[in-house]
Amino acid sequence: MDELQKKNQNAKKLDLALQMYDTNRYEMAKPLFEELSKDGNILSTSILGNYYHYGLDGNTDYKKALAYYRKVIAENEITDVWFELGRMYEDGLGVRKNYRKAKECFEKAVENGCVSGYVFLGKLYLFGEGVKRDEKKCYEYFLRAAEGGDVFAAYRVGCCYLNGTGVEKDINLAEEWLCSAADDGEYFDACTKLSDLYLDKKSSKYNPKLALYYAKRALELDPIEGEAFLSMFYAVGNAVEKNTEKFLEMVTRAIDNGSVNGAYLLGKSYMLGNFDLPEDMDRAEKYLTIASEREAGGWSDYYLGVLYGDTIYKRIDYRKARFYLERFINTSSVNTSSSDKGFFEIGWLYYFGKGIKKNLQKAYEYFKKGTKRGCPDCMAMYANFYDGEKGFPEKPHLTYKWYKKSMDLGSAWGYLGVLTCYALGVGVKQNLKKAREMGDYAVKNDMWDKEIVDDLYRKGERKAMRKKKTTIGKL
């Protein structure tokens, strides 16, 4: 067979392989890609990397995926391969997790026109992974990707405007970008986010009918998870008549059909007694475990960690608590700012030695990570380490700084910390009047028990008295 005939035959073979690949007939297409790869077809080599990266035919082998990707890069820079290689470094698949290398790969990808690379660069800056946390850069990268047509990025830009992440809050632009992702991109999460926005009674966009419309739109896009989401409307009575039985019927059906969010929703509801359901830890454990088994590292892992780690739920098993919390914070599928609560919970276990050997250094590291990612409760515990904690330098100005930032972000722990600073004069001038005002407010609003507040105030009074006696003694 001459060179031209072989070239034409390989072209036909590639067309056939791609047709099967595009229609999800992965097992049938794979032998053709393997033959073509041996003949030097770079696209086929790249696709084989995807096979082993994502287990398209049921066989995952990250080492082989890396080998195929690196072969492509060595022979011909295909932008998608730089992106896929970055994903592997980001997730630690076949290589040690390395955010800096992931960043380099994503930068190479965007240099060559890969829009998705901007999305993942934005994520790195959002969570400070391999780079200094920078919300403005995060927003800018998401915006570039969104302007390039990436639907997920359009959703993230909408969230940035909604929450004021890297850009000034603008509910109109938030709505515009979310609608773009939901209506033009048919993106499920954008539909549910819009639905939540229209259900917010404090928002100028409050519109229950539109909320219901996007909930039903989500149902059309994903009948299983959409039903789990829509069930909450009946649980609360939003835009429909409240009907707990209907809620249970819908969410249970969604769970039976494989819903992750439905199992998480029902488990959390039984754990916290939401939606007029009784607190039932047996059912909470059951459904949260189902959700966890279906999606490792999801929010169900966080609540299982809390269920096993907090005495109020009477399911104490600190080994399990640690397992679920570590899986939660180490899984990239839950990279949202609120996921940083996991750092607080596991830091707490190390701080008090719950189920594991007490380790203040590890506790400090977890609280510090959470602080960097913007977790208010972590900031309060981080501040505590500079207030005379054994083995750590005493830095009153940092204690007050992080307590204050924590309080400003809504943390009750931060509020108690600032109250303590004023009561005892830590990092600020002692001000018992201010401490008493803050304490009265905390008690009145059920933030802290009166006994805790009064004890702090008495300590402040004793300290002020000692200081006064010392001053008199020097006269």
Side-chain angles (χ1 to χ4, degrees):
M1 184 186 299
D2 63 29
E3 194 65 32
L4 181 60
Q5 284 179 311
K6 186 175 182 180
K7 187 175 180 181
N8 289 336
Q9 187 181 69
N10 281 349
K12 291 179 181 178
K13 196 181 291 185
L14 180 61
D15 283 341
L16 178 60
L18 289 172
Q19 284 176 25
M20 290 189 286
Y21 185 83
D22 291 340
T23 52
N24 300 331
R25 291 177 287 169
Y26 299 119
E27 291 183 17
M28 294 175 67
K30 188 177 181 181
L32 296 177
F33 287 128
E34 288 173 331
E35 289 177 28
L36 290 162
S37 177
K38 286 177 183 177
D39 283 341
N41 184 273
I42 294 298
L43 177 59
S44 295
T45 304
S46 171
I47 290 173
L48 285 171
N50 291 344
Y51 267 87
Y52 290 108
H53 185 174
Y54 297 105
L56 297 180
D57 62 344
N59 299 305
T60 302
D61 188 326
Y62 298 127
K63 295 290 185 184
K64 282 188 177 180
L66 282 168
Y68 279 116
Y69 289 154
R70 285 169 173 162
K71 184 179 179 182
V72 172
I73 287 169
E75 295 182 24
N76 186 357
E77 291 191 359
I78 292 182
T79 58
D80 285 351
V81 172
W82 279 112
F83 171 73
E84 298 296 354
L85 193 58
R87 292 290 308 274
M88 297 193 80
Y89 277 115
E90 182 189 37
D91 295 332
L93 302 178
V95 290
R96 183 176 294 179
K97 187 177 284 192
N98 189 324
Y99 291 119
R100 290 187 180 181
K101 278 192 174 289
K103 175 176 176 283
E104 291 171 8
C105 291
F106 293 142
E107 286 174 339
K108 280 274 191 182
V110 299
E111 282 173 13
N112 291 282
C114 177
V115 172
S116 296
Y118 285 120
V119 176
F120 283 81
L121 282 170
K123 282 176 61 182
L124 293 180
Y125 279 103
L126 177 61
F127 298 111
E129 293 170 332
V131 294
K132 185 177 180 181
R133 190 169 188 266
D134 189 327
E135 291 186 351
K136 186 177 180 182
K137 279 191 175 182
C138 153
Y139 161 75
E140 289 171 351
Y141 280 125
F142 284 149
L143 183 61
R144 287 188 195 181
E147 290 174 342
D150 189 284
V151 174
F152 174 75
Y155 163 72
R156 291 302 315 183
V157 170
C159 292
C160 285
Y161 278 115
L162 194 61
N163 302 317
T165 304
V167 67
E168 189 175 343
K169 279 187 180 184
D170 189 320
I171 197 166
N172 292 318
L173 285 173
E175 182 185 35
E176 183 180 319
W177 279 103
L178 290 172
C179 283
S180 172
D183 298 332
D184 301 331
E186 298 188 334
Y187 189 60
F188 177 86
D189 287 351
C191 291
T192 58
K193 183 67 72 173
L194 275 169
S195 185
D196 288 338
L197 172 64
Y198 293 131
L199 283 178
D200 184 0
K201 292 182 179 179
K202 296 178 182 178
S203 169
S204 60
K205 299 294 180 180
Y206 178 65
N207 188 328
K209 288 184 178 179
L210 271 179
L212 183 60
Y213 167 80
Y214 278 105
K216 289 180 177 179
R217 187 78 183 93
L219 179 65
E220 292 172 2
L221 295 173
D222 187 335
I224 295 173
E225 294 300 349
E227 182 166 39
F229 183 79
L230 185 60
S231 72
M232 288 188 289
F233 279 71
Y234 292 94
V236 179
N238 285 325
V240 295
E241 187 176 345
K242 184 176 178 178
N243 189 329
T244 303
E245 287 184 7
K246 178 80 170 175
F247 157 63
L248 286 171
E249 176 192 332
M250 292 178 70
V251 75
T252 303
R253 182 167 55 237
I255 294 167
D256 291 343
N257 287 327
S259 170
V260 175
N261 293 328
Y264 159 66
L265 170 64
L266 195 54
K268 180 183 173 184
S269 298
Y270 278 121
M271 181 176 169
L272 304 179
N274 292 341
F275 308 137
D276 295 334
L277 296 180
E279 291 185 6
D280 187 327
M281 297 312 135
D282 289 331
R283 288 179 176 174
E285 185 177 27
K286 171 188 172 181
Y287 287 111
L288 289 172
T289 301
I290 289 172
S292 175
E293 288 171 349
R294 290 176 178 174
E295 183 184 75
W299 273 104
S300 53
D301 277 357
Y302 170 77
Y303 280 97
L304 280 169
V306 174
L307 182 71
Y308 292 125
D310 196 320
T311 55
I312 66 171
Y313 298 111
K314 300 178 182 178
R315 279 288 190 284
I316 288 298
D317 187 329
Y318 292 120
R319 182 186 61 81
K320 284 185 177 180
R322 178 187 171 193
F323 167 78
Y324 283 113
L325 289 169
E326 284 188 335
R327 189 164 70 169
F328 175 71
I329 64 176
N330 290 323
T331 302
S332 62
S333 64
V334 186
N335 264 339
T336 65
S337 57
S338 49
S339 70
D340 301 329
K341 290 192 288 187
F343 287 97
F344 175 78
E345 298 293 345
I346 198 165
W348 192 264
L349 294 180
Y350 277 109
Y351 188 80
F352 289 103
K354 299 291 187 181
I356 46 180
K357 187 177 180 181
K358 184 174 181 177
N359 190 325
L360 291 180
Q361 185 59 44
K362 278 203 169 186
Y364 171 79
E365 288 167 4
Y366 278 112
F367 291 137
K368 185 178 180 180
K369 284 180 182 177
T371 294
K372 282 185 174 181
R373 291 164 64 107
C375 172
D377 288 341
C378 285
M379 291 175 189
M381 292 305 296
Y382 182 63
N384 191 57
F385 278 85
Y386 294 109
D387 189 23
E389 189 67 70
K390 186 177 179 181
F392 293 84
E394 196 167 336
K395 297 182 179 180
H397 67 288
L398 287 180
T399 299
Y400 176 75
K401 170 189 171 181
W402 286 109
Y403 275 144
K404 179 68 166 59
K405 191 164 186 179
S406 171
M407 181 184 76
D408 290 344
L409 290 171
S411 169
W413 290 103
Y415 189 94
L416 184 67
V418 172
L419 194 163
T420 303
C421 287
Y422 279 115
L424 303 178
V426 178
V428 290
K429 186 178 179 180
Q430 188 180 33
N431 188 332
L432 289 174
K433 182 180 178 182
K434 178 75 172 176
R436 174 53 74 187
E437 289 173 354
M438 289 185 69
D440 290 343
Y441 180 87
V443 172
K444 183 180 178 182
N445 289 278
D446 296 322
M447 291 172 66
W448 290 100
D449 292 338
K450 190 174 188 299
E451 292 79 6
I452 293 174
V453 170
D454 288 345
D455 183 57
L456 273 175
Y457 192 73
R458 284 193 294 269
K459 285 180 180 177
E461 286 181 319
R462 288 196 293 270
K463 183 173 182 178
M465 186 62 69
R466 286 195 300 271
K467 185 176 179 181
K468 185 176 181 181
K469 286 180 179 179
T470 302
T471 302
I472 293 173
K474 288 179 180 180
L475 295 177

